[in-house]
């Protein structure tokens, strides 16, 4: 069962990338407060995104011809795990690097690839995900935003929601209906590259529980799109968006979201002292993290073999997000269980933010229940 | 692959008291003297998949190193546990697809599907943990051994509970084989250190380590 997930070693030439990433982390990340570093892939730092691009650490898997590094998924794995484990602010380039660039590479025209990919690799062009709508969450095929043909291209009307970082990005890749009605489900959907500065696009921020503005509502009020805004084939949007979700779900980011908080708490234990209960908790998290990391690397090996490990990635994401969510819950009990102990305000504040944000870990990118459904189908259950 | 297939034929042909002599005669009890642990690991899973309770792994270990460490015995137990988990998952899927209630296979109910997904996750996690533990030869580093056995032992209650939940009452009937596998998994969970033992060991090492962060720590075991 799932025999494709085998213990794999990261190739030496990819391991060799760590030094370069760590140098950038030392310069841009380590001095930042824990409260900032826990946000990591929601954190924004344009200078850092550009520095990664300049160092050749974005678009690692894209062909050299389009500005990429022409390397394999293991190279990206190494860079990404270093960034996340250190809590680097990667939110600005994250989505372009993880999925938008790959969707453009896979389905885009030559002109689209030439236009977007080199700037993504330089850390100058940022993308967001225009999938969810108020009435289309887990049931993504029920999107209602529509595009109709005009003489020069397309006219876009509708609304997206929960669009992470849209207010800071240049483009969204949006899934919209180009024919039929919502009842046609998977047929009649297409993807578009939408310029977020175009007339008729309104972006309205939504504050999250911690008071940060991470996600947004996007309104399209008769936005005129040129013909070349269509990405891939008209009507093939469903297959394309599933390929995009496979890119989204198969990265290693789903195990590291609480790593900075965990390490900060371990730092606290070094000072305050660790009894048996504390020691045991730390050990349990290390054991799980060790096995999850091995699984993440095993998924990366499937990507490197040219596969789309959709079911395997869902399995690792569900395990990984459960692990990430367990950490703040356990630390809250631990610190509360030692009421007379002094706790650094930074650690306490980071914990409170993590408790507020952790529920999102098993929502974003597909909910726990949806992922378990994918796994069950992979097990042959109908 | 071939090695495991031949080993499985021997296991299936020899039950009870005949097993150890047969394995000895065919040289399998000396496997660890000739092969790296990583290549013996699939054989350990094959033992688990049959809930063999003869001391095969322990004998292999003693023949290879006179006084095997707890770490070695723990990672070998983890591999057997992975094999039991794989078998329990197969049995549970088979049952879910054949047992019918309310006019359809119970595997068609979302509540059952979601439980089996969770079980599969824990089985796959156990397997990769066991493989990691078995990747370092006859003297597994303490951190690797601890991680492997902790993960395998922590998964055991979830795996056994879901297997039984999906099977219903038949699962605890003596004549039905399920309980042999779940009992063996419970027993191995306790052997050579359960999760709390290994978590304490691993936690102490982590807290005392100089590592920059947890990634750094795990990479330098
Ligand atoms: C932090 C964050 C960032 C996000 N960023 C983006 C983004 O950038 N772009 C974007 O497009 N979207 C984004 N999303 C949206 C995300 O993709 C959706 O939240 C997700 O798909 C779930 O949709 P929903 O929130 O409408 O929940 P719903 O679909 O309404 O689900 C609510 C509950 O019902 C359950 N449920 C639904 N259907 C079923 C079913 N068939 N069987 C069993 N249970 C079911 C769900 O599992 C969940 O528990 C983001 C979400 C979060 C939390």
């Amino acid at each position: 069962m799932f025999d494709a997930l085998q213990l794999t070693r990261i190739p030496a030439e990819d391991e060799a990338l760590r030094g370069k990433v760590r140098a950038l982390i030392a310069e841009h990340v380590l001095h930042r407060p824990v409260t900032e570093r826990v946000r990591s892939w929601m954190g924004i730092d344009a200078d850092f995104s550009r520095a990664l691009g300049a160092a050749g650490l974005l678009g690692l898997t894209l062909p050299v011809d389009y500005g990429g590094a022409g390397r394999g998924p293991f190279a990206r794995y190494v860079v990404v795990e270093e960034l996340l484990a250190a809590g680097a602010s990667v939110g600005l380039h994250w989505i372009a690097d993880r999925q938008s660039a790959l969707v453009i590479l896979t389905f885009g025209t030559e002109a689209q690839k030439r236009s977007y990919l080199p700037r993504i690799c330089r850390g100058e062009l940022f993308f967001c995900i225009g999938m969810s709508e108020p009435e289309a969450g887990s049931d993504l095929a029920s999107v209602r935003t529509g595009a109709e043909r005009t003489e020069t291209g397309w006219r876009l009307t509708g609304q997206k929601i929960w669009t992470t970082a849209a207010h800071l990005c240049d483009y969204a890749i949006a899934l919209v209906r180009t024919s039929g009605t919502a009842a046609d489900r998977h047929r009649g959907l297409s993807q578009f590259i939408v310029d977020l500065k175009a007339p008729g696009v309104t972006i309205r921020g939504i504050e999250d529980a911690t008071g940060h503005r991470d996600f947004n509502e996007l309104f399209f009020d008769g936005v005129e799109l040129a013909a070349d805004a269509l990405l891939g084939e008209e009507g093939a949007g469903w297959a394309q968006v599933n390929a995009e979700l496979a890119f989204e779900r198969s990265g290693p980011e789903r195990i590291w979201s609480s790593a900075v908080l965990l390490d900060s708490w371990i730092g606290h234990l070094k000072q305050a002292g660790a009894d048996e209960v504390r020691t045991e908790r730390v050990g349990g998290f290390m054991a799980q993290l060790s096995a999850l990391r091995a699984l993440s690397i095993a998924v990366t090996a499937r990507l490197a073999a040219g596969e789309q490990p959709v079911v395997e990635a869902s399995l690792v994401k569900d395990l990984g997000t459960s692990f990430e969510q367990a950490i703040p819950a356990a630390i809250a009990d631990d610190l509360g269980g030692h009421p007379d102990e002094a706790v650094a305000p930074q650690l306490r504040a980071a914990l409170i933010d993590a408790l507020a944000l952790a529920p999102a870990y098993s929502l974003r990118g597909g909910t726990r229940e949806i992922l378990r459904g994918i796994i069950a189908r992979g097990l042959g259950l109908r | 692959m071939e090695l495991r297939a031949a080993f499985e034929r021997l296991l299936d042909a020899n039950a009870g008291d005949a097993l150890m002599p047969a394995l000895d005669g065919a040289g399998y009890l000396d496997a660890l003297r000739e092969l790296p642990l990583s290549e013996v690991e699939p054989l350990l899973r094959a033992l688990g998949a049959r809930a063999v309770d003869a001391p095969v792994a322990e004998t292999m270990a003693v023949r290879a190193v006179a006084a095997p460490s707890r770490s070695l015995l723990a990672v070998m137990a983890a591999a057997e546990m992975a094999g039991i988990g794989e078998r329990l998952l197969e049995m549970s899927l088979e049952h879910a697809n054949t047992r019918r209630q309310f006019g359809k296979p119970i595997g068609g109910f979302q509540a059952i599907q979601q439980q089996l997904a969770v079980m599969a996750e824990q089985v796959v996690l156990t397997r990769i943990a066991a493989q990691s533990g078995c990747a370092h030869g006859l003297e597994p580093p303490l951190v690797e051994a601890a991680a492997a056995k902790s993960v395998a032992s922590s998964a055991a209650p979830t795996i056994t509970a879901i297997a039984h939940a999906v099977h219903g009452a038949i699962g605890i009937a003596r004549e039905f084989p399920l309980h042999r596998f779940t009992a063996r998994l419970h027993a191995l969970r306790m052997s050579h250190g359960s999760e709390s033992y290994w978590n304490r060991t691993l936690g102490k090492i982590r807290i005392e380590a100089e590592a920059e962060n947890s990634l750094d720590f795990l990479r330098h075991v």
Side-chain angles (χ1 to χ4, degrees), chain A residues 11-191:
Chain A
E13 70 265 26
D14 300 313
E15 283 286 352
L17 278 168
R18 287 189 202 275
K20 207 170 173 184
V21 198
R22 289 188 160 212
L24 282 176
I25 288 171
E27 187 184 337
H28 292 261
V29 180
L30 293 182
H31 62 275
R32 294 185 180 264
V34 174
T35 39
E36 229 174 88
R37 288 193 289 127
V38 286
R39 303 186 69 81
S40 198
W41 50 294
M42 289 174 281
I44 301 295
D45 182 347
D47 287 344
F48 185 56
S49 291
R50 262 191 297 275
L52 285 171
L57 296 174
L58 297 182
L60 281 160
T61 62
L62 299 189
V64 177
D65 244 15
Y66 300 118
R71 304 185 59 147
F74 281 112
R76 178 166 191 274
Y77 179 87
V78 165
V79 171
V80 163
E81 82 168 357
E82 287 290 343
L83 293 173
L84 296 176
S89 294
V90 293
L92 200 49
H93 66 263
W94 198 244
I95 286 160
D97 180 64
R98 178 181 71 190
Q99 60 196 80
S100 318
L102 297 179
V103 178
I104 293 170
L105 178 73
T106 311
F107 302 108
T109 61
E110 187 57 30
Q112 286 170 329
K113 292 185 219 180
R114 297 250 167 248
S115 156
Y116 298 109
L117 299 183
R119 287 184 289 161
I120 289 177
C121 295
R122 289 200 299 269
E124 294 172 5
L125 203 60
F126 306 116
F127 277 70
C128 58
I129 306 169
M131 295 187 196
S132 304
E133 297 183 2
E135 300 305 323
S138 298
D139 183 12
L140 183 57
S142 66
V143 291
R144 295 175 184 179
T145 297
E148 50 178 15
R149 273 191 189 279
T150 63
E151 281 181 4
T152 53
W154 301 85
R155 187 175 300 116
L156 183 66
T157 306
Q159 182 190 351
K160 295 290 172 183
I161 195 169
W162 313 125
T163 326
T164 301
H167 57 304
L168 305 168
C169 287
D170 305 285
Y171 295 93
I173 294 184
L175 178 72
V176 314
R177 182 158 290 289
T178 42
S179 69
T181 68
D184 291 306
R185 306 282 302 161
H186 305 162
R187 278 166 308 174
L189 299 176
S190 307
Q191 283 189 309

Side-chain angles (χ1 to χ4, degrees), chain B residues 8 15 18 39 60 77 86 102 148 150 154 190 197 199-200 211 221:
Chain B
E8 290 183 321
E39 286 178 36
M60 284 178 175
E86 289 176 326
F102 300 97
S150 160
S154 305
M190 295 171 66
Y197 171 82
N199 288 346
R200 282 195 299 276
V221 290

Side-chain angles (χ1 to χ4, degrees), chain A residues 1-3 6-7 18 22 81 263 270 276 279-280 283-284 286-287 293 318 369 372 375 381-382, chain B residues 108 113-114 118 121 127 131-132 150-151 196 199-200 202-204 206-207 209 213-216 219:
Chain A
M1 217 61 72
F2 300 118
D3 290 344
Q6 293 294 323
L7 188 68
R18 287 189 202 275
R22 289 188 160 212
E81 82 168 357
D263 285 337
K270 281 178 192 262
E276 211 166 70
T279 308
E280 200 175 309
M286 284 303 120
R293 177 167 185 259
D318 189 31
E369 290 71 24
R372 289 181 181 173
I375 298 164
L381 297 167
R382 287 288 182 277
Chain B
Q113 293 176 353
Q114 300 252 317
V118 170
E121 291 171 359
R127 187 175 61 201
Q131 288 179 340
S132 302
S150 160
V151 167
S196 63
N199 288 346
R200 282 195 299 276
L202 180 50
K204 186 162 185 299
R206 172 66 184 97
I207 292 169
N213 60 32
S214 289
L215 170 61
D216 205 32
R219 284 189 49 249

